[in-house]
Amino acid sequence: MAYAAVLTAGLFRGSVCSQAALSRAIPRALRHLTLTSIMKSKRKTDHLEKTANAVRQEVVSAAKVCGIANESPTVKRLRLLVADQDFSFKAGQWVDFFIPGVSVVGGFSICSSPGLLEQERVIELAVKYTNHPPALWIHNQCALDSEVAVRVGGEFFFDPQPAAAAGNLVLIAGGVGINPLLSILRHSADLLRERADTGRGWETGTITLLYSAKNTSELLFKKNILDLVNEFPKKIACSFHVTKQTTQISAELKPYITEGRITEKEIRDHISRETLFYICGPPPMTDFFSKLLENSHVPREHICFEKWW
């Protein structure tokens, strides 16, 4: 069966990547993954060293770039067709990102849902421009049909079982910290659709996204998020925050925008015994909100955060 890159409003430049062609690419891609590049990175601040104690899958799978888009002026989004049928992930997890010829290993959260992988063998990543070699490669050298390899890791994920009690989700994102939370939001929407279609699966409560960025151009995936809000108006809500907005806010975004940071009151308003909190953003933001929740007597097992970069 052939898999084609999905074209989204002309953003993605798609290529057709067949399963057979990708299977032939596996040996070529993996030949470039030396023991040095898999086991360590050059600098102490690199991804593999920061996540040395994190749980990882054993599968290292070849993948091919089959879509590239500019998500914002500083963030590039990739679609990767993944070859290995044993490759899987849970919403919120990240990948080790191996690039032929680049000794430093990247670490990027998956922003797509597990459902997209199941249906199309595709995952999506959104990578901010930095001087880190893997991010530089993605922004300056990556092209359609580029061959890479990926391996799943991380304990920050949302994977409710069908028999789990109904509960609410509050997702708190800052900047590119939206990536794993978007995966969780998309997975939650998949569960809502499954429940509506079959009457089975996890019974979701309400899902609230509180998302802060410098300005509206740096609010990633705005359309994707608002499409889900409009699809499930009684279940999914979002509040966008901008901290350094200098231009006029568009009419379609204005109802969802607050100028200023996410406040303590907003967080406290969502506290209940049935609510799980997922936080991902700059470390000071993550520290602040996780401590606020602890001090508000939210059980620690109801506070999940990602802070490895």
Side-chain angles (χ1 to χ4, degrees):
M1 179 179 177
Y3 295 87
V6 176
L7 302 181
T8 306
L11 288 177
F12 280 113
R13 294 170 306 179
S15 68
V16 175
C17 307
S18 72
Q19 187 68 28
L22 191 55
S23 296
R24 290 194 296 272
I26 294 174
R28 296 200 301 273
L30 295 186
R31 273 201 299 272
H32 292 279
L33 300 179
T34 65
L35 184 62
T36 300
S37 69
I38 290 179
M39 294 307 295
K40 67 180 181 180
S41 295
K42 286 185 176 180
R43 298 185 297 118
K44 287 186 178 180
T45 55
D46 282 342
H47 163 68
L48 287 188
E49 192 152 343
K50 285 184 176 182
T51 62
N53 296 322
V55 173
R56 283 176 163 82
Q57 293 182 5
E58 294 182 4
V59 176
V60 178
S61 178
K64 181 174 284 192
V65 176
C66 57
I68 305 173
N70 292 318
E71 186 62 38
S72 82
T74 60
V75 174
K76 204 169 277 285
R77 180 161 39 134
L78 300 185
R79 286 174 69 90
L80 300 175
L81 183 63
V82 184
D84 199 317
Q85 294 295 321
D86 291 329
F87 179 93
S88 65
F89 74 98
K90 297 174 182 177
Q93 289 187 298
W94 40 258
V95 291
D96 297 327
F97 191 82
F98 303 102
I99 305 164
V102 178
S103 62
V104 178
V105 177
F108 306 119
S109 293
I110 302 169
C111 58
S112 52
S113 71
L116 182 64
L117 178 67
E118 292 171 10
Q119 294 165 15
E120 301 182 31
R121 300 309 304 165
V122 165
I123 64 171
E124 292 186 355
L125 309 175
V127 179
K128 190 176 180 67
Y129 181 89
T130 70
N131 288 325
H132 196 242
L136 276 178
W137 180 86
I138 287 169
H139 279 262
N140 297 335
Q141 294 178 253
C142 181
L144 288 174
D145 298 328
S146 291
E147 295 171 4
V148 296
V150 288
R151 175 177 59 191
V152 170
E155 295 106 62
F156 178 85
F157 58 81
F158 175 64
D159 185 35
Q161 299 308 300
N168 305 321
L169 291 180
V170 174
L171 312 176
I172 306 169
V176 289
I178 187 61
N179 285 343
L181 300 184
L182 181 67
S183 179
I184 291 172
L185 184 65
R186 286 170 159 169
H187 183 49
S188 300
D190 287 344
L191 295 175
L192 286 168
R193 295 184 191 105
E194 180 186 3
R195 185 82 182 180
D197 291 343
T198 68
R200 297 188 299 272
W202 186 64
E203 186 177 350
T204 59
T206 60
I207 303 155
T208 303
L209 172 66
L210 305 174
Y211 178 19
S212 176
K214 183 171 67 175
N215 54 51
T216 53
S217 68
E218 293 294 336
L219 284 169
L220 308 180
F221 311 108
K222 297 181 287 291
K223 182 180 185 306
N224 304 98
I225 292 166
L226 292 181
D227 283 348
L228 294 178
V229 170
N230 292 326
E231 183 180 357
F232 302 103
K234 295 182 180 179
K235 287 288 189 177
I236 298 178
C238 76
S239 176
F240 296 138
H241 286 250
V242 290
T243 58
K244 296 180 180 179
Q245 186 73 21
T246 58
T247 59
Q248 187 172 355
I249 297 169
S250 64
E252 62 270 20
L253 275 181
K254 207 158 193 176
Y256 304 95
I257 295 284
T258 298
E259 297 198 49
R261 299 183 185 278
I262 300 168
T263 66
E264 295 182 32
K265 181 181 183 305
E266 283 179 279
I267 303 299
R268 289 197 177 100
D269 284 347
H270 290 285
I271 291 175
S272 74
R273 285 183 295 178
E274 299 80 26
T275 301
L276 299 177
F277 292 86
Y278 284 80
I279 312 168
C280 190
M285 171 186 170
T286 302
D287 288 339
F288 179 82
F289 285 126
S290 59
K291 195 67 178 175
L292 171 67
L293 291 168
E294 282 187 32
N295 291 342
S296 300
H297 309 293
V298 175
R300 287 193 176 183
E301 61 270 22
H302 287 193
I303 307 168
C304 309
F305 57 85
E306 182 75 284
K307 194 181 63 173
W308 52 260
W309 70 87

